[in-house]
Coordinates of all heavy atoms in Angstrom, one line a residue:
M17 N 0.8 -1.2 0.0 CA 0.0 0.0 0.0 C 0.9 1.2 0.0 O 1.5 1.5 1.0 CB -0.9 0.0 1.2 CG -1.9 1.1 1.3 SD -3.2 0.9 0.1 CE -4.6 1.0 1.1
D18 N 0.9 2.0 -1.1 CA 1.7 3.1 -1.2 C 0.9 4.4 -1.4 O 1.3 5.4 -2.0 CB 2.6 3.0 -2.5 CG 3.6 1.9 -2.4 OD1 4.0 1.6 -1.2 OD2 4.0 1.3 -3.4
T19 N -0.2 4.5 -0.7 CA -1.1 5.6 -0.8 C -0.9 6.5 0.5 O -1.0 5.9 1.6 CB -2.5 5.2 -1.0 OG1 -2.6 4.5 -2.2 CG2 -3.4 6.5 -1.2
Y20 N -0.7 7.8 0.3 CA -0.5 8.6 1.4 C -1.4 9.9 1.2 O -2.0 10.1 0.2 CB 1.0 9.1 1.5 CG 1.9 7.9 1.5 CD1 2.7 7.6 0.4 CD2 2.0 7.0 2.6 CE1 3.6 6.5 0.4 CE2 2.8 5.9 2.6 CZ 3.6 5.7 1.5 OH 4.5 4.6 1.5
N21 N -1.4 10.7 2.3 CA -2.0 12.0 2.2 C -1.0 13.1 2.1 O 0.1 13.0 2.7 CB -2.9 12.2 3.5 CG -4.1 11.3 3.5 OD1 -4.7 11.1 2.5 ND2 -4.4 10.7 4.6
M22 N -1.3 14.1 1.3 CA -0.4 15.2 1.2 C -1.2 16.4 1.7 O -2.3 16.7 1.2 CB 0.1 15.4 -0.2 CG 1.0 16.6 -0.4 SD 1.8 16.5 -2.1 CE 0.6 17.4 -3.1
Y23 N -0.6 17.2 2.6 CA -1.2 18.3 3.2 C -0.4 19.6 2.8 O 0.8 19.5 2.6 CB -1.3 18.3 4.7 CG -2.0 17.0 5.2 CD1 -1.2 15.9 5.6 CD2 -3.4 17.0 5.3 CE1 -1.9 14.8 6.0 CE2 -4.0 15.8 5.7 CZ -3.2 14.7 6.1 OH -3.9 13.6 6.5
V24 N -1.1 20.7 2.6 CA -0.4 21.9 2.2 C -0.6 22.9 3.4 O -1.7 23.2 3.8 CB -1.0 22.5 0.9 CG1 -0.3 23.8 0.5 CG2 -1.0 21.5 -0.2
R25 N 0.5 23.4 3.8 CA 0.5 24.3 4.9 C -0.4 25.5 4.6 O -0.3 26.1 3.5 CB 1.9 24.8 5.2 CG 2.1 25.8 6.4 CD 3.5 26.1 6.6 NE 3.7 27.1 7.6 CZ 4.8 27.6 8.0 NH1 5.9 27.1 7.5 NH2 4.9 28.5 8.9
G26 N -1.3 25.9 5.5 CA -2.1 27.0 5.4 C -3.4 26.7 4.6 O -4.2 27.6 4.4
Q27 N -3.6 25.5 4.1 CA -4.8 25.2 3.4 C -5.4 23.9 4.0 O -4.7 23.1 4.6 CB -4.4 24.9 1.9 CG -3.8 26.0 1.2 CD -3.7 25.8 -0.3 OE1 -4.3 24.9 -0.9 NE2 -2.8 26.5 -1.0
E28 N -6.7 23.9 3.8 CA -7.4 22.8 4.4 C -7.4 21.5 3.6 O -8.0 20.5 3.9 CB -8.9 23.2 4.7 CG -9.0 24.3 5.7 CD -8.6 23.9 7.1 OE1 -8.8 22.8 7.5 OE2 -7.9 24.8 7.7
K29 N -6.8 21.6 2.5 CA -6.8 20.5 1.5 C -6.1 19.3 1.9 O -5.0 19.4 2.4 CB -6.2 21.0 0.2 CG -7.0 20.6 -1.0 CD -6.6 21.5 -2.2 CE -7.6 21.2 -3.3 NZ -7.5 22.1 -4.4
E30 N -6.7 18.1 1.7 CA -6.0 16.8 1.9 C -5.9 16.2 0.5 O -7.0 15.9 -0.1 CB -6.8 16.0 2.8 CG -6.2 14.6 3.1 CD -7.0 13.8 4.1 OE1 -7.2 14.2 5.2 OE2 -7.6 12.8 3.7
I31 N -4.7 15.9 0.0 CA -4.5 15.4 -1.3 C -4.0 14.0 -1.3 O -3.2 13.7 -0.5 CB -3.5 16.3 -2.0 CG1 -4.0 17.8 -2.1 CG2 -3.1 15.8 -3.4 CD1 -2.9 18.8 -2.6
K32 N -4.6 13.2 -2.1 CA -4.2 11.8 -2.2 C -2.9 11.7 -3.0 O -2.8 12.3 -4.1 CB -5.2 10.9 -2.9 CG -6.5 10.7 -2.1 CD -6.2 10.0 -0.8 CE -7.4 10.0 0.1 NZ -7.0 9.8 1.5
A33 N -1.9 11.1 -2.4 CA -0.6 11.0 -3.0 C -0.2 9.6 -3.0 O -0.8 8.7 -2.3 CB 0.4 11.9 -2.2
S34 N 0.8 9.3 -3.8 CA 1.3 7.9 -3.9 C 2.8 7.9 -4.2 O 3.3 8.8 -4.9 CB 0.5 7.2 -5.0 OG 1.2 6.1 -5.5
A35 N 3.4 6.8 -3.8 CA 4.9 6.7 -4.1 C 5.0 6.4 -5.6 O 6.1 6.5 -6.2 CB 5.5 5.5 -3.4
K36 N 3.9 6.2 -6.3 CA 4.0 5.9 -7.8 C 3.9 7.2 -8.6 O 4.0 7.1 -9.8 CB 2.9 4.9 -8.2 CG 3.1 3.6 -7.6 CD 2.0 2.6 -8.0 CE 2.3 1.2 -7.4 NZ 1.2 0.3 -7.5
R37 N 3.6 8.3 -8.0 CA 3.6 9.5 -8.8 C 4.2 10.7 -7.9 O 4.3 10.6 -6.7 CB 2.2 9.9 -9.2 CG 1.2 10.2 -8.1 CD -0.2 10.4 -8.7 NE -1.1 10.8 -7.6 CZ -2.3 11.1 -7.9 NH1 -2.8 11.2 -9.1 NH2 -3.2 11.4 -6.9
T38 N 4.6 11.7 -8.7 CA 5.3 12.8 -8.0 C 4.4 13.7 -7.3 O 3.2 13.7 -7.5 CB 6.1 13.6 -9.1 OG1 5.1 14.3 -9.9 CG2 7.0 12.8 -9.9
L39 N 5.0 14.5 -6.4 CA 4.1 15.5 -5.7 C 3.4 16.4 -6.7 O 2.3 16.8 -6.5 CB 5.0 16.3 -4.7 CG 5.7 15.5 -3.6 CD1 6.5 16.5 -2.8 CD2 4.8 14.7 -2.8
L40 N 4.1 16.8 -7.7 CA 3.5 17.6 -8.8 C 2.3 17.0 -9.4 O 1.3 17.6 -9.6 CB 4.6 18.0 -9.8 CG 4.1 19.0 -10.9 CD1 3.9 20.4 -10.3 CD2 5.2 19.1 -12.0
D41 N 2.4 15.7 -9.7 CA 1.3 15.0 -10.3 C 0.1 14.9 -9.3 O -1.1 15.1 -9.7 CB 1.7 13.6 -10.8 CG 2.6 13.7 -12.1 OD1 2.6 14.7 -12.7 OD2 3.3 12.7 -12.3
A42 N 0.4 14.6 -8.1 CA -0.6 14.6 -7.1 C -1.3 15.9 -6.9 O -2.5 16.0 -6.8 CB 0.0 14.1 -5.7
A43 N -0.5 17.0 -6.9 CA -1.1 18.3 -6.8 C -2.0 18.6 -8.0 O -3.1 19.2 -7.8 CB 0.0 19.3 -6.6
A44 N -1.5 18.3 -9.2 CA -2.3 18.6 -10.4 C -3.6 17.8 -10.4 O -4.6 18.4 -10.8 CB -1.4 18.2 -11.6
A45 N -3.6 16.6 -9.9 CA -4.8 15.8 -9.9 C -5.8 16.4 -8.9 O -7.0 16.3 -9.1 CB -4.5 14.4 -9.5
A46 N -5.3 17.1 -7.9 CA -6.2 17.7 -6.9 C -6.5 19.2 -7.3 O -7.0 19.9 -6.5 CB -5.5 17.6 -5.5
R47 N -6.0 19.6 -8.4 CA -6.2 21.0 -8.9 C -5.5 22.0 -8.0 O -6.1 23.1 -7.8 CB -7.7 21.3 -9.1 CG -8.3 20.4 -10.2 CD -9.8 20.7 -10.3 NE -10.4 19.8 -11.2 CZ -10.7 20.1 -12.5 NH1 -10.5 21.3 -12.9 NH2 -11.3 19.2 -13.2
L48 N -4.4 21.6 -7.4 CA -3.6 22.5 -6.6 C -2.6 23.1 -7.5 O -1.7 22.4 -8.1 CB -3.0 21.8 -5.4 CG -2.0 22.6 -4.6 CD1 -2.8 23.6 -3.7 CD2 -1.2 21.7 -3.7
P49 N -2.6 24.4 -7.7 CA -1.7 25.0 -8.7 C -0.3 25.2 -8.1 O -0.1 25.9 -7.2 CB -2.3 26.4 -8.9 CG -3.1 26.7 -7.7 CD -3.6 25.4 -7.1
L50 N 0.6 24.4 -8.6 CA 2.0 24.5 -8.3 C 2.7 25.1 -9.5 O 2.3 24.8 -10.7 CB 2.7 23.2 -8.0 CG 2.2 22.5 -6.7 CD1 3.1 21.3 -6.4 CD2 2.3 23.4 -5.5
L51 N 3.7 25.9 -9.3 CA 4.5 26.3 -10.5 C 5.2 25.2 -11.1 O 5.7 24.3 -10.4 CB 5.6 27.4 -10.0 CG 5.0 28.7 -9.5 CD1 6.1 29.5 -8.9 CD2 4.2 29.4 -10.6
V52 N 5.3 25.2 -12.4 CA 5.9 24.1 -13.1 C 6.7 24.6 -14.3 O 6.3 25.5 -15.0 CB 4.8 23.0 -13.6 CG1 3.8 23.6 -14.5 CG2 5.5 21.8 -14.2
G53 N 7.8 24.0 -14.5 CA 8.7 24.4 -15.7 C 9.0 23.2 -16.5 O 8.2 22.6 -17.2
C54 N 10.2 22.7 -16.4 CA 10.7 21.6 -17.2 C 10.2 20.2 -17.0 O 10.3 19.4 -17.8 CB 12.3 21.6 -17.1 SG 12.9 21.0 -15.5
K55 N 9.7 20.0 -15.8 CA 9.3 18.7 -15.3 C 10.4 17.6 -15.3 O 10.1 16.4 -15.3 CB 8.1 18.2 -16.1 CG 6.8 19.0 -15.8 CD 5.7 18.3 -16.5 CE 4.4 19.0 -16.3 NZ 3.2 18.4 -16.9
G56 N 11.6 18.1 -15.4 CA 12.7 17.1 -15.5 C 13.8 17.3 -14.5 O 14.9 16.7 -14.6
G57 N 13.6 18.1 -13.4 CA 14.5 18.3 -12.4 C 15.7 19.2 -12.7 O 16.7 19.2 -12.0
G58 N 15.5 20.0 -13.8 CA 16.6 20.9 -14.2 C 16.4 22.4 -14.1 O 17.3 23.1 -14.3
C59 N 15.2 22.8 -13.7 CA 15.0 24.3 -13.7 C 14.7 24.8 -12.2 O 15.0 26.0 -12.0 CB 13.8 24.7 -14.6 SG 12.2 24.3 -14.0
G60 N 14.2 24.0 -11.4 CA 13.9 24.4 -10.0 C 12.7 25.2 -9.8 O 12.4 25.6 -8.6
V61 N 11.9 25.4 -10.8 CA 10.6 26.2 -10.7 C 9.7 25.6 -9.7 O 8.9 26.3 -9.0 CB 10.0 26.4 -12.0 CG1 8.6 27.0 -11.9 CG2 10.8 27.4 -12.9
C62 N 9.7 24.3 -9.6 CA 8.7 23.6 -8.8 C 9.1 23.3 -7.4 O 8.5 22.5 -6.7 CB 8.4 22.2 -9.5 SG 9.8 21.2 -9.5
K63 N 10.1 24.0 -6.9 CA 10.7 23.8 -5.6 C 9.7 24.1 -4.5 O 9.0 25.1 -4.5 CB 11.9 24.7 -5.4 CG 12.9 24.2 -4.4 CD 14.1 25.2 -4.3 CE 14.9 25.1 -5.6 NZ 16.0 26.0 -5.7
V64 N 9.5 23.1 -3.6 CA 8.6 23.3 -2.4 C 9.4 22.8 -1.2 O 10.4 22.0 -1.3 CB 7.3 22.5 -2.5 CG1 6.5 23.1 -3.7 CG2 7.5 21.0 -2.7
R65 N 8.9 23.1 0.0 CA 9.6 22.7 1.2 C 8.8 21.6 1.9 O 7.5 21.8 2.1 CB 9.9 23.8 2.1 CG 10.8 23.5 3.3 CD 11.3 24.7 4.0 NE 10.3 25.5 4.6 CZ 10.0 25.3 5.9 NH1 10.6 24.5 6.7 NH2 9.0 26.1 6.4
I66 N 9.4 20.6 2.3 CA 8.7 19.5 3.1 C 8.8 19.9 4.5 O 9.9 20.0 5.1 CB 9.4 18.1 2.8 CG1 9.4 17.8 1.4 CG2 8.7 17.1 3.7 CD1 8.0 17.6 0.7
I67 N 7.6 20.0 5.2 CA 7.6 20.4 6.6 C 7.6 19.1 7.4 O 8.2 19.0 8.5 CB 6.4 21.2 6.9 CG1 6.4 22.5 6.1 CG2 6.2 21.4 8.4 CD1 5.2 23.3 6.2
D68 N 6.9 18.1 6.9 CA 6.8 16.8 7.7 C 6.7 15.7 6.7 O 6.0 15.8 5.6 CB 5.6 16.9 8.6 CG 5.6 15.7 9.6 OD1 6.7 15.3 10.0 OD2 4.5 15.3 9.9
G69 N 7.3 14.5 7.0 CA 7.1 13.4 6.1 C 8.4 13.0 5.4 O 9.4 13.7 5.4
M70 N 8.4 11.8 4.8 CA 9.6 11.3 4.1 C 9.3 11.3 2.6 O 8.2 11.1 2.1 CB 9.8 9.8 4.6 CG 10.2 9.7 6.0 SD 10.7 8.1 6.5 CE 9.5 7.0 5.9
I71 N 10.4 11.6 1.9 CA 10.4 11.8 0.5 C 11.5 11.0 -0.2 O 12.6 11.0 0.3 CB 10.6 13.3 0.2 CG1 9.4 14.1 0.6 CG2 10.9 13.6 -1.3 CD1 8.1 13.9 -0.3
E72 N 11.2 10.5 -1.4 CA 12.2 10.0 -2.3 C 12.5 11.2 -3.3 O 11.6 11.6 -4.0 CB 11.7 8.8 -3.1 CG 12.6 8.4 -4.3 CD 14.0 8.1 -4.0 OE1 14.2 7.4 -3.0 OE2 14.9 8.6 -4.7
H73 N 13.7 11.7 -3.3 CA 14.0 12.9 -4.1 C 13.9 12.7 -5.6 O 13.6 13.7 -6.3 CB 15.4 13.5 -3.7 CG 15.3 14.3 -2.4 ND1 15.1 15.7 -2.4 CD2 15.4 13.9 -1.1 CE1 15.1 16.1 -1.1 NE2 15.3 15.0 -0.3
G74 N 14.3 11.6 -6.1 CA 14.3 11.4 -7.5 C 15.5 12.1 -8.1 O 16.4 12.6 -7.5
F75 N 15.5 12.2 -9.5 CA 16.5 12.9 -10.2 C 16.4 14.4 -10.1 O 15.3 14.9 -10.2 CB 16.5 12.5 -11.7 CG 17.4 13.3 -12.5 CD1 18.7 13.1 -12.6 CD2 16.9 14.4 -13.2 CE1 19.6 13.9 -13.4 CE2 17.7 15.3 -14.0 CZ 19.1 15.0 -14.0
Y76 N 17.5 15.1 -9.9 CA 17.5 16.5 -9.9 C 19.0 17.0 -10.1 O 19.9 16.3 -9.8 CB 16.9 17.1 -8.6 CG 17.7 16.8 -7.4 CD1 18.7 17.7 -6.9 CD2 17.5 15.7 -6.7 CE1 19.4 17.5 -5.8 CE2 18.3 15.4 -5.5 CZ 19.2 16.3 -5.1 OH 20.0 16.1 -4.0
S77 N 19.1 18.2 -10.6 CA 20.4 18.8 -10.7 C 20.8 19.6 -9.5 O 20.0 20.3 -8.9 CB 20.4 19.8 -11.9 OG 21.5 20.6 -11.9
K78 N 22.0 19.4 -9.0 CA 22.5 20.1 -7.8 C 22.6 21.6 -8.1 O 22.8 22.3 -7.1 CB 23.8 19.5 -7.3 CG 23.6 18.2 -6.6 CD 24.8 17.8 -5.8 CE 24.5 16.6 -5.0 NZ 25.6 16.2 -4.0
S79 N 22.5 22.0 -9.3 CA 22.6 23.4 -9.6 C 21.3 24.1 -9.3 O 21.2 25.3 -9.1 CB 23.0 23.7 -11.0 OG 22.0 23.2 -11.9
V80 N 20.2 23.3 -9.2 CA 18.9 23.9 -8.9 C 18.4 23.5 -7.6 O 17.4 24.1 -7.0 CB 17.8 23.6 -10.0 CG1 18.2 24.2 -11.3 CG2 17.6 22.1 -10.2
L81 N 18.9 22.4 -7.0 CA 18.6 22.1 -5.6 C 19.9 21.7 -4.9 O 20.5 20.6 -5.1 CB 17.7 20.8 -5.6 CG 17.2 20.4 -4.2 CD1 16.3 21.5 -3.5 CD2 16.4 19.1 -4.3
T82 N 20.4 22.7 -4.2 CA 21.7 22.5 -3.6 C 21.6 21.6 -2.4 O 20.5 21.4 -1.8 CB 22.3 23.9 -3.1 OG1 21.4 24.4 -2.1 CG2 22.3 24.9 -4.3
D83 N 22.8 21.2 -1.9 CA 22.8 20.3 -0.7 C 22.2 21.1 0.5 O 21.5 20.5 1.3 CB 24.2 19.9 -0.4 CG 24.8 18.9 -1.4 OD1 24.0 18.3 -2.1 OD2 26.0 18.7 -1.5
E84 N 22.5 22.4 0.6 CA 22.0 23.2 1.7 C 20.4 23.2 1.6 O 19.8 23.1 2.6 CB 22.6 24.6 1.6 CG 24.0 24.7 2.0 CD 24.9 24.2 0.8 OE1 24.5 24.2 -0.4 OE2 26.1 23.9 1.1
E85 N 19.9 23.5 0.4 CA 18.4 23.5 0.3 C 17.8 22.2 0.6 O 16.8 22.1 1.3 CB 18.1 23.9 -1.1 CG 18.3 25.4 -1.5 CD 18.1 25.7 -2.9 OE1 18.5 24.9 -3.8 OE2 17.5 26.7 -3.2
R86 N 18.5 21.1 0.2 CA 18.0 19.8 0.4 C 18.0 19.5 1.9 O 17.0 19.0 2.5 CB 18.8 18.7 -0.3 CG 18.3 17.3 -0.1 CD 19.1 16.3 -0.9 NE 18.8 15.0 -0.4 CZ 18.8 13.9 -1.1 NH1 19.0 13.9 -2.4 NH2 18.6 12.7 -0.5
S87 N 19.0 19.9 2.6 CA 19.1 19.8 4.1 C 18.0 20.6 4.8 O 17.6 20.2 5.9 CB 20.5 20.2 4.6 OG 21.5 19.4 4.1
A88 N 17.6 21.7 4.2 CA 16.6 22.6 4.8 C 15.2 22.0 4.4 O 14.2 22.6 4.8 CB 16.8 24.0 4.3
G89 N 15.1 20.9 3.7 CA 13.8 20.3 3.4 C 13.2 20.6 2.1 O 12.1 20.2 1.8
Y90 N 14.0 21.3 1.2 CA 13.4 21.6 -0.1 C 13.5 20.4 -1.0 O 14.5 19.6 -0.9 CB 14.1 22.8 -0.7 CG 13.8 24.1 -0.1 CD1 14.5 24.6 1.0 CD2 12.6 24.8 -0.5 CE1 14.1 25.8 1.6 CE2 12.3 25.9 0.1 CZ 13.0 26.4 1.2 OH 12.6 27.6 1.8
V91 N 12.5 20.2 -1.9 CA 12.5 19.2 -2.9 C 12.0 19.8 -4.2 O 11.4 20.9 -4.2 CB 11.6 18.0 -2.5 CG1 12.0 17.4 -1.2 CG2 10.1 18.4 -2.4
L92 N 12.2 19.1 -5.3 CA 11.6 19.4 -6.6 C 10.3 18.6 -6.7 O 10.4 17.4 -6.8 CB 12.5 19.2 -7.7 CG 13.9 20.0 -7.7 CD1 14.7 19.6 -8.9 CD2 13.6 21.5 -7.6
A93 N 9.2 19.3 -6.7 CA 7.9 18.6 -6.8 C 7.7 17.7 -8.0 O 7.0 16.7 -8.0 CB 6.7 19.6 -6.6
C94 N 8.4 18.1 -9.1 CA 8.3 17.3 -10.3 C 9.0 16.0 -10.2 O 8.9 15.1 -11.1 CB 8.7 18.1 -11.5 SG 10.5 18.3 -11.7
Q95 N 9.9 15.8 -9.2 CA 10.7 14.6 -9.1 C 10.4 13.8 -7.8 O 10.6 12.6 -7.8 CB 12.2 15.0 -9.1 CG 12.6 15.7 -10.4 CD 12.4 14.7 -11.6 OE1 12.9 13.6 -11.6 NE2 11.7 15.2 -12.6
A96 N 10.1 14.6 -6.7 CA 9.9 13.9 -5.4 C 8.6 13.1 -5.3 O 7.6 13.5 -5.9 CB 9.9 15.0 -4.4
R97 N 8.8 12.0 -4.7 CA 7.6 11.1 -4.4 C 7.5 10.8 -2.9 O 8.6 10.6 -2.3 CB 7.8 9.8 -5.2 CG 7.9 9.9 -6.7 CD 8.4 8.7 -7.4 NE 8.7 9.0 -8.8 CZ 7.8 8.8 -9.8 NH1 6.6 8.4 -9.5 NH2 8.1 9.1 -11.0
P98 N 6.3 10.8 -2.4 CA 6.2 10.6 -1.0 C 6.5 9.1 -0.6 O 6.1 8.2 -1.3 CB 4.7 10.9 -0.7 CG 4.0 10.6 -2.0 CD 5.0 10.9 -3.1
L99 N 7.0 9.0 0.6 CA 7.2 7.7 1.2 C 6.4 7.6 2.5 O 6.6 6.6 3.3 CB 8.7 7.4 1.5 CG 9.6 7.4 0.3 CD1 11.1 7.3 0.7 CD2 9.2 6.3 -0.7
S100 N 5.7 8.6 2.8 CA 4.8 8.6 4.0 C 3.8 9.8 3.8 O 3.9 10.5 2.7 CB 5.6 8.9 5.3 OG 6.1 10.3 5.3
D101 N 2.9 10.0 4.7 CA 2.1 11.2 4.6 C 3.1 12.4 4.7 O 4.1 12.3 5.4 CB 1.2 11.3 5.8 CG 0.0 10.4 5.7 OD1 -0.2 9.7 4.7 OD2 -0.8 10.2 6.7
V102 N 2.8 13.4 3.9 CA 3.7 14.6 3.9 C 2.9 15.9 4.0 O 1.8 16.0 3.6 CB 4.5 14.6 2.6 CG1 5.5 13.5 2.5 CG2 3.7 14.7 1.3
T103 N 3.6 16.9 4.6 CA 3.1 18.2 4.6 C 4.1 19.1 3.9 O 5.3 19.1 4.1 CB 2.9 18.7 6.0 OG1 2.0 17.8 6.7 CG2 2.3 20.1 6.1
I104 N 3.6 19.9 2.9 CA 4.4 20.8 2.1 C 4.1 22.2 2.4 O 3.0 22.6 2.7 CB 4.4 20.4 0.6 CG1 3.0 20.8 0.0 CG2 4.7 19.0 0.4 CD1 3.0 20.7 -1.5
D105 N 5.1 23.0 2.1 CA 4.9 24.5 2.2 C 5.2 25.0 0.8 O 6.3 24.8 0.3 CB 5.9 25.1 3.2 CG 5.6 26.6 3.5 OD1 4.7 27.1 3.0 OD2 6.4 27.1 4.2
L106 N 4.3 25.8 0.3 CA 4.5 26.3 -1.1 C 5.3 27.6 -1.0 O 5.7 28.1 -1.9 CB 3.1 26.6 -1.7 CG 2.2 25.4 -1.9 CD1 0.9 25.8 -2.5 CD2 2.8 24.3 -2.6
Ligands
FES29 S1 9.7 21.8 -13.2 FE1 11.8 22.1 -13.6 S2 12.7 21.1 -11.9 FE2 10.6 20.7 -11.5

């Protein structure tokens, strides 16, 4: 069972998420507008911060998601997949 809930800080929305799809795809399915660019981990437009929960980061360029940002909880929504319930900050 790889189905989780994704919560957005400051919003009442509960979004169905899955380890089989990215945070961006889950947000799009729930009509939550996230900024999107290349969808390939190369531009950084979709960067969000994980407040709580575990994430598989997926492919990304360190030029758009630095080690410091990653340590601070940032992920690229077009690449990251949840491994638990997650709360994100837009
Ligand atoms: S949309 Fe470009 S890195 Fe996610």
Side-chain angles (χ1 to χ4, degrees):
M17 185 72 124
D18 294 332
T19 302
Y20 307 110
N21 292 317
M22 182 167 85
Y23 304 97
V24 180
R25 182 177 174 179
Q27 297 188 22
E28 297 297 319
K29 222 165 191 165
E30 180 179 295
I31 298 169
K32 291 297 172 204
S34 162
K36 293 180 179 169
R37 64 181 183 178
T38 66
L39 299 182
L40 184 66
D41 288 342
R47 299 177 185 258
L48 175 71
L50 291 187
L51 293 175
V52 61
C54 68
K55 293 187 177 179
C59 73
V61 167
C62 64
K63 200 176 295 178
V64 297
R65 188 165 67 94
I66 303 298
I67 296 172
D68 189 34
M70 295 189 308
I71 288 290
E72 165 61 46
H73 279 268
F75 168 81
Y76 65 94
S77 168
K78 284 195 172 187
S79 65
V80 296
L81 183 66
T82 65
D83 290 341
E84 291 78 17
E85 288 173 318
R86 182 175 163 148
S87 295
Y90 287 93
V91 302
L92 299 180
C94 74
Q95 299 298 306
R97 297 167 192 269
L99 299 175
S100 70
D101 287 352
V102 294
T103 302
I104 67 172
D105 188 5
L106 303 180

